[in-house]
Amino acid sequence: MSEQNGTVIIGAGPAGLTAAYELLRHGRSVQVFEADEVVGGISRTVERDGWRFDIGGHRFFTKVPRVEAFWHEILPDEDFLTRPRMSRIFYRGALFNYPLSAVNALRNLGLPEAVRCLGSYARARLRPPRDQSHFEGWVSARFGWRLYSIFFKTYTEKVWGMPADRLQADWAAQRIKNLSLGTAIRNALLPRRRRTDVTSLIEEFQYPKYGPGMMWERCAEQVRERGGQLSTGSWVTAVHRDPARRRATSVTVNGAGGQRTEAADHVISSMPISELVTALHPPAPPEVLACAADLRYRDFLTVALVVPEEFSFPDNWIYVHDPGVRVGRIQNFGSWSPYLVKDGRTCLGLEYFVFEDDEMWRTPDADLVALATEELERLGLVRQGVVEAGYVVRMPKAYPVYDERYQRNVDVIRAWLSEAVPNVHPVGRNGMHRYNNQDHSMLTAMLTAENIATGSTHDVWSVNVEQDYHEHSSGGDSRRGTGRDAPVVPSRIIAAPITVPEGSGDRASVAVPPSHA
């Protein structure tokens, strides 16, 4: 079919803007509609009073050459900084290297605790936990309970909002791969050149000097310069389809100018796939609608606190393995780029993992700033009274949740879309309900654009992290997976997340952190 109306793209995040740019490269016409007033999606840079915040932290590192080339086509080399990759674990007032270092861990734990950890490991080897089907049992069997409780439990529970013994073990196997306490000790003591059996993490990455939003703001400018139409504050409320022709034909958009309908030969959607299904008219069958309604998301909020530069730290972020506070991770925006902060000050971003129906999500900003300030002081990372200002940024639907029904839900939706509206193309993290990073979301958009423009038949759903895990310099497996690794969680407790009690005892501590883009 010859293109007459062009392609409508829903969402101006990395996937949507990449699709627009690539289609324009092929001479195709595009219209991009973004519901928010800013572009970039979760990869935006939020600016408040001259401070800039990166939502979640976005390291620009990829093993996909065309994504690397795209970044440098959008931004000149001088707009990129090369930054060291540094993250540490905060536990009981000490900072532990991540990945773990034997010397650092021994010094921070102290000899008595280190001996207890080794004894706990020995007991686990002699009498492994009977049930290793869940995260807690699997990890405890390989590290012992004490090390599991220090470095694996609490952070995992903060991120996913439920007890670690409700998360499946195969996620732990993906995250930790070949690592156990024995291999950790050997890898810490042997020269780096001999570490070939366990995946290692990249040591530096690129970063746009004004944050990841700089990339997508410039990309949006180039989309417009090349003839594409891009409208912010424009919410696609309906995708109209012709059942007889098995095609989407137009979209209804609500914006500042009111409601209008735009014709489309193709629709590329990076909006949550659950919302895409409910936007279709005539409606999808009841079973498909039920699958869409059953998909869940984990939400995310950042409380950014302005403090004197003396309270800066070199890490991109610190994982907080203290069960007595709700904060899960703390970014230092000044360590990402000096252009995000102001002279003599830095900004620390305290990250909280929540559900939208949690009380914390609805808490007023001033109360969240007070809570974050109190927790930062309690952790001893700043002195009392030094916080000068605070800002709250909420990001709904930051993480697609993998529960025991999500895969069937996605499969049903995907099969029906392919049959009923094959010219509707889900892309990106929320568009495909996949825990992908920025580069793999971009790749889904690139392949979709090629399919539309050249008639290619790329299987966009095969793009996943296991093929080329961008945070790792070696290793990995060849399984076709579901994107960045995330645990499958029980549906029945998603609506009732655990609370992290203050002053929890020794047996509550933390997790090997899931890597973030």
Side-chain angles (χ1 to χ4, degrees):
M1 175 179 177
S2 62
E3 183 173 346
Q4 297 176 349
N5 301 309
T7 298
V8 165
I9 299 173
I10 304 173
L17 288 173
T18 298
Y21 190 92
E22 292 295 306
L23 284 169
L24 289 166
R25 191 196 303 277
H26 287 284
R28 299 296 180 114
S29 61
V30 298
Q31 294 186 85
V32 183
F33 298 108
E34 169 56 52
D36 211 333
E37 296 296 337
V38 297
V39 301
I42 197 173
S43 297
R44 74 188 62 187
T45 300
V46 175
E47 185 173 354
R48 304 276 180 84
D49 297 334
W51 302 94
R52 292 179 171 86
F53 315 131
D54 183 346
I55 308 304
H58 290 78
R59 293 173 172 138
F60 280 67
F61 179 89
T62 183
K63 294 176 71 176
V64 183
R66 63 189 300 181
V67 170
E68 178 87 20
F70 184 100
W71 288 337
H72 288 273
E73 184 173 337
I74 299 298
L75 289 180
D77 290 349
E78 58 265 26
D79 282 340
F80 285 97
L81 305 176
T82 299
R83 307 301 290 169
R85 183 195 194 281
M86 184 175 182
S87 305
R88 285 180 292 176
I89 294 168
F90 184 90
Y91 174 68
R92 288 187 174 179
L95 289 167
F96 293 77
N97 293 340
Y98 176 68
L100 293 176
S101 157
V103 174
N104 171 263
L106 178 63
R107 181 175 64 246
N108 285 337
L109 288 173
L111 185 58
E113 179 63 23
V115 170
R116 285 191 286 268
C117 287
L118 288 172
S120 176
Y121 171 69
R123 286 192 298 274
R125 300 304 293 172
L126 291 172
R127 293 185 178 181
R130 291 183 179 180
D131 186 358
Q132 296 184 35
S133 65
H134 51 70
F135 179 88
E136 183 167 291
W138 193 95
V139 177
S140 296
R142 287 153 181 82
F143 289 85
W145 173 265
R146 294 192 76 90
L147 279 178
Y148 159 74
S149 68
I150 293 171
F151 293 116
F152 295 85
K153 186 178 189 295
T154 303
Y155 184 81
T156 295
E157 293 184 345
K158 288 180 182 181
V159 171
W160 297 108
M162 61 195 61
D165 62 3
R166 308 303 295 271
L167 304 176
Q168 91 290 2
D170 62 351
W171 177 63
Q174 291 176 38
R175 286 297 309 141
I176 303 169
K177 297 192 186 295
N178 302 321
L179 190 61
S180 67
L181 180 58
T183 55
I185 292 172
R186 287 196 303 272
N187 290 336
L189 298 177
L190 294 176
R192 182 175 296 273
R193 61 183 174 83
R194 298 183 62 182
R195 298 191 203 167
T196 59
D197 59 331
V198 179
T199 300
S200 59
L201 295 174
I202 57 105
E203 295 181 355
E204 62 182 23
F205 58 92
Q206 298 176 90
Y207 192 74
K209 64 183 183 181
Y210 290 111
M214 182 183 187
M215 171 71 66
W216 302 112
E217 290 158 12
R218 179 58 186 142
C219 187
E221 292 173 5
Q222 293 196 25
V223 165
R224 291 186 173 112
E225 290 170 4
R226 291 167 180 246
Q229 298 180 46
L230 194 160
S231 303
T232 57
S234 299
W235 192 282
V236 173
T237 57
V239 177
H240 303 281
R241 65 187 183 94
D242 182 341
R245 296 172 55 212
R246 296 175 50 245
R247 297 188 67 80
T249 58
S250 62
V251 300
T252 295
V253 184
N254 283 357
Q259 187 177 95
R260 67 186 190 276
T261 298
E262 299 287 350
D265 287 320
H266 290 272
V267 176
I268 296 177
S269 174
S270 65
M271 71 194 296
I273 197 169
S274 55
E275 295 180 7
L276 170 65
V277 170
T278 58
L280 286 161
H281 293 279
E287 180 188 8
V288 179
L289 289 169
C291 288
D294 197 38
L295 292 175
R296 300 290 184 267
Y297 303 86
R298 189 76 164 140
D299 308 294
F300 182 82
L301 64 84
T302 298
V303 183
L305 302 178
V306 177
V307 298
E309 192 173 22
E310 66 181 283
F311 299 104
S312 183
F313 45 78
D315 310 71
N316 309 127
W317 54 59
I318 291 173
Y319 300 100
V320 181
H321 288 196
D322 187 323
V325 293
R326 297 189 65 176
V327 62
R329 197 173 65 173
I330 303 174
Q331 288 198 69
N332 179 16
F333 295 112
S335 291
W336 289 89
S337 169
Y339 296 92
L340 301 184
V341 298
K342 301 178 183 180
D343 289 345
R345 302 288 184 272
T346 193
C347 201
L348 304 181
L350 283 74
E351 299 178 346
Y352 297 88
F353 307 94
V354 298
F355 292 109
E356 273 192 280
D357 56 359
D358 289 353
E359 180 182 353
M360 190 169 190
W361 184 262
R362 302 187 300 271
T363 298
D365 287 6
D367 293 343
L368 289 173
V369 169
L371 168 68
T373 300
E374 190 274 332
E375 291 197 339
L376 196 61
E377 293 172 349
R378 191 193 313 174
L379 291 170
L381 293 175
V382 300
R383 290 195 306 271
Q384 189 170 5
V386 301
V387 172
E388 300 176 7
Y391 308 89
V392 176
V393 180
R394 293 173 175 82
M395 182 56 64
K397 295 181 171 59
Y399 306 122
V401 167
Y402 291 1
D403 61 32
E404 61 262 41
R405 296 191 300 270
Y406 95 95
Q407 189 63 67
R408 178 188 177 275
N409 290 336
V410 172
D411 287 346
V412 168
I413 293 169
R414 175 186 169 189
W416 182 80
L417 289 174
S418 178
E419 175 64 26
V421 279
N423 65 330
V424 173
H425 312 275
V427 296
R429 174 184 283 204
N430 281 341
M432 302 172 75
H433 203 82
R434 288 201 164 175
Y435 201 59
N436 282 331
N437 275 333
Q438 178 177 231
D439 60 339
H440 285 93
S441 292
M442 292 171 62
L443 185 57
T444 65
M446 290 175 173
L447 298 181
T448 295
E450 276 190 19
N451 287 347
I452 292 171
T454 70
S456 302
T457 57
H458 297 295
D459 179 7
V460 174
W461 291 87
S462 71
V463 174
N464 62 81
V465 139
E466 283 78 24
Q467 291 172 327
D468 284 296
Y469 186 36
H470 79 291
E471 284 274 359
H472 293 142
S473 59
S474 64
D477 59 53
S478 58
R479 293 175 297 164
R480 286 163 59 114
T482 52
R484 276 186 57 204
D485 47 351
V488 173
V489 300
S491 298
R492 61 186 175 276
I493 61 174
I494 286 177
I498 65 165
T499 57
V500 180
E502 294 191 11
S504 298
D506 289 345
R507 288 172 63 87
S509 279
V510 201
V512 162
S515 53
H516 291 252

